[in-house]
Amino acid sequence: MRRSAPLLALLALSPAPVLAQAADPALEPVRALDAGLLAIMKAGGGAGQAGRARMIAPVVDRVFDLGLMTRLSVGPAWTTFSPADQKALVAAFRAMTVAQYAHNFDGFSGESFTLAPQVETRGLDKLVRTTLNVPGQAGEQLNYRLRADGGQWKVIDVYYRNAISQLATRRADFAGVVGKGGAPALIQHLNRLAANPK
């Protein structure tokens, strides 16, 4: 891509802000996720659901704070669960997350992701905005809330269409299941979602 002389001059005069934005560590996990999703989309039907799940699973493990996401999705009831149930819930939550990504990103028609370079700070968290570009259609907003875990930024929530919190949606869904059958019922619910992703 060619750049105009005025733009090059401007970049030369102000390298620090450009480098500061490009180097924000919260961008890297989202870049990794975008690359992983494009890879399974391109693998498509040839890889099958199981093949795409195997491809995206290590990306999910690296990018998401699955333990915190599970705990936040469960809410206050989490503290009443045994350590064994908590561990099983995180495993089931992971399986559901992997299966849903493998199911929902199952084909490629020229899609791409645009990552906004500006990262918003919200208290302890950061917000990274992306757009899934689909040829011939309006872009789909996929924004990510990240929190530092041991020095590494990890996703703890996903916002669809710039407003719908996946965490809030899951908390509402899980509350009824937990109310009826506690941790065992929620583990079964998550395993069913993993087996039949939507």
Side-chain angles (χ1 to χ4, degrees):
M1 181 176 72
R2 296 182 65 181
R3 291 193 173 112
S4 66
L7 176 58
L8 291 174
L10 179 61
L11 291 173
L13 290 173
S14 57
V18 172
L19 291 175
Q21 287 294 338
D24 193 303
L27 293 170
E28 186 50 40
V30 178
R31 281 196 191 102
L33 179 60
D34 289 350
L37 293 177
L38 283 174
I40 64 171
M41 290 165 73
K42 290 176 180 177
Q49 171 75 13
R52 292 191 303 275
R54 282 192 299 274
M55 292 173 66
I56 201 63
V59 179
V60 167
D61 289 336
R62 187 169 77 249
V63 168
F64 291 90
D65 189 337
L66 294 167
L68 180 57
M69 291 177 76
T70 308
R71 179 167 62 82
L72 293 174
S73 296
V74 170
W78 177 263
T79 60
T80 68
F81 297 160
S82 70
D85 282 341
Q86 290 177 350
K87 184 176 180 181
L89 278 167
V90 173
F93 188 94
R94 174 192 183 271
M96 175 197 67
T97 302
V98 169
Q100 288 181 340
Y101 273 117
H103 175 77
N104 292 329
F105 293 84
D106 62 345
F108 182 73
S109 302
E111 291 87 351
S112 63
F113 288 95
T114 301
L115 182 64
Q118 296 80 21
V119 175
E120 298 176 31
T121 299
R122 297 186 174 186
L124 297 176
D125 301 340
K126 293 193 176 187
L127 186 72
V128 175
R129 298 182 182 276
T130 70
T131 303
L132 172 60
N133 306 300
V134 181
Q137 299 180 29
E140 183 78 22
Q141 293 294 313
L142 293 170
N143 302 327
Y144 300 92
R145 178 179 164 198
L146 298 93
R147 185 172 295 172
D149 176 30
Q152 292 186 323
W153 288 95
K154 293 196 171 188
V155 173
I156 64 167
D157 197 5
V158 183
Y159 297 90
Y160 298 100
R161 296 183 179 90
N162 214 26
I164 303 169
S165 164
Q166 187 180 74
L167 185 75
T169 301
R170 285 180 171 164
R171 184 177 292 169
D173 176 39
F174 294 175
V177 178
V178 171
K180 292 178 181 177
L186 183 55
I187 292 166
Q188 290 180 355
H189 178 65
L190 294 175
N191 286 334
R192 282 194 297 270
L193 290 175
N196 300 285
K198 296 177 181 178

